[in-house]
Amino acid sequence: MPKRPLSFGHVSAQITCPPGHRLAASHDFVGPLPGPPPHAGRATVGAKLAPCRKNLIILRAGTLEDLLNVLDLDRLHAAPLVHDPFEFVVVEEFLRRDVLASLIGDFPQIRGHGSYPVESLEYGPGFARLVAALTGAELRRAIEEKFGIDLSDRPTLLTLRGRSDGKDGGIHTDSASKLITLLLYMNPVWEHAEGRLRLLRVPGDLEDYAVEVAPLAGTMLAFRRSERSFHGHRAHFGERRSLQLNWVTDPAVVRRELGRHRWSARLKALRLFGGSPP
């Protein structure tokens, strides 16, 4: 297959196209950002699909800063790192106000409960910008600075949740393979007492918490995983939309987790449509 290097600001990518296909432009950034063709009523940000693959989206933003400006990194830099009961930072309005509504509207449709790898979902180009920003170097450097940790060689895993079934939110620390967990909520309003994440002082008591975070759109929580990073929330049923970004110890973790999430998602889809696993 022919390969063609493309540039976007200071970012380069090598794209492979099947025989008989071509790339639409020579100086646009093309990234492997899954998503359907832009839909009417959705924010397209001047994006279009590359003819070589339907899930490659061309973003004509012009500069890398334009691509990443969905995040307000200044708020992250200004927010204090809290050490009690473990290291964490909470940033409200982490998503810029001028793009928040379009990102909420562009959130993938997730009918089942549990978490889904971003690669398994369809979404529009507006949300693709958010995915690019979350997995980009600018956010990584900001997290490194905040927590005093080197993540330069650490892979990332990005998953989404759309609904709770009442079983989510049990007290846990996250697995030891996760170095940093970042949660970004995408719910326009949250009036429920349930579903608010609590950072706990002790492992067995959901009522003994240092802080409670409502899952409002644009609110971000990041914490360093440790043997003390207990967290959870009261059981909630219904829509509860969030993204979870993890920097993990090595690529094998990503492969294992993606395989597990994909198999779990397949089982959920079968149950949703009344089927049974093979």
Side-chain angles (χ1 to χ4, degrees), residues 25 32 141 161 185 262:
R141 285 192 286 266
R161 288 178 178 266
Y185 295 108
R262 284 168 181 156

Side-chain angles (χ1 to χ4, degrees), residues 159-181:
T159 57
L160 280 70
R161 288 178 178 266
R163 304 188 64 82
S164 301
D165 66 348
K167 299 177 182 178
D168 302 326
I171 298 173
H172 63 290
T173 62
D174 281 2
S175 63
S177 60
K178 296 176 180 178
L179 302 171
I180 298 288
T181 293

Side-chain angles (χ1 to χ4, degrees), residues 20 27 31 37 60 76 96 109 115 124 150 166 184 188 203 211 213 227 251 264:
H27 298 291
R60 294 179 173 274
L76 173 55
R96 295 188 181 277
Q109 296 295 318
S115 60
D150 182 5
L184 178 61
V211 66
V213 181
E227 296 303 317
S264 176

Side-chain angles (χ1 to χ4, degrees), residues 50-152:
C52 64
R53 283 178 59 189
K54 68 178 182 178
N55 66 338
L56 294 182
I57 294 176
I58 297 179
L59 298 175
R60 294 179 173 274
T63 67
L64 184 60
E65 182 179 359
D66 290 334
L67 179 64
L68 299 181
N69 69 2
V70 296
L71 306 180
D72 193 337
L73 294 180
D74 288 339
R75 287 183 177 271
L76 173 55
H77 290 305
L81 180 67
V82 183
H83 297 270
D84 177 31
F86 49 87
E87 291 184 31
F88 72 90
V89 60
V90 177
V91 182
E92 296 180 346
E93 297 186 28
F94 188 55
L95 297 177
R96 295 188 181 277
R97 294 181 181 180
D98 57 339
V99 298
L100 181 59
S102 66
L103 292 176
I104 293 173
D106 218 15
F107 192 87
Q109 296 295 318
I110 302 176
R111 291 184 291 177
H113 62 86
S115 60
Y116 293 78
V118 69
E119 296 90 346
S120 69
L121 299 169
E122 292 187 344
Y123 47 84
F127 199 82
R129 294 177 66 203
L130 176 58
V131 172
L134 289 173
T135 56
E138 292 295 321
L139 175 59
R140 173 182 57 78
R141 285 192 286 266
I143 292 293
E144 287 178 324
E145 178 183 335
K146 182 62 62 178
F147 287 91
I149 186 173
D150 182 5
L151 300 171
S152 56

Side-chain angles (χ1 to χ4, degrees), residues 115 117 157 178 255-265:
S115 60
L157 178 67
K178 296 176 180 178
R255 291 192 296 270
R256 183 178 67 248
E257 289 297 307
L258 286 179
R260 182 176 65 84
H261 280 295
R262 284 168 181 156
W263 178 245
S264 176

Side-chain angles (χ1 to χ4, degrees), residues 4 20 23 33 60 66 84 116-117 136 195 202 214 229 238:
R4 186 171 176 185
L23 295 177
L33 305 174
R60 294 179 173 274
D66 290 334
D84 177 31
Y116 293 78
V202 295
S229 56

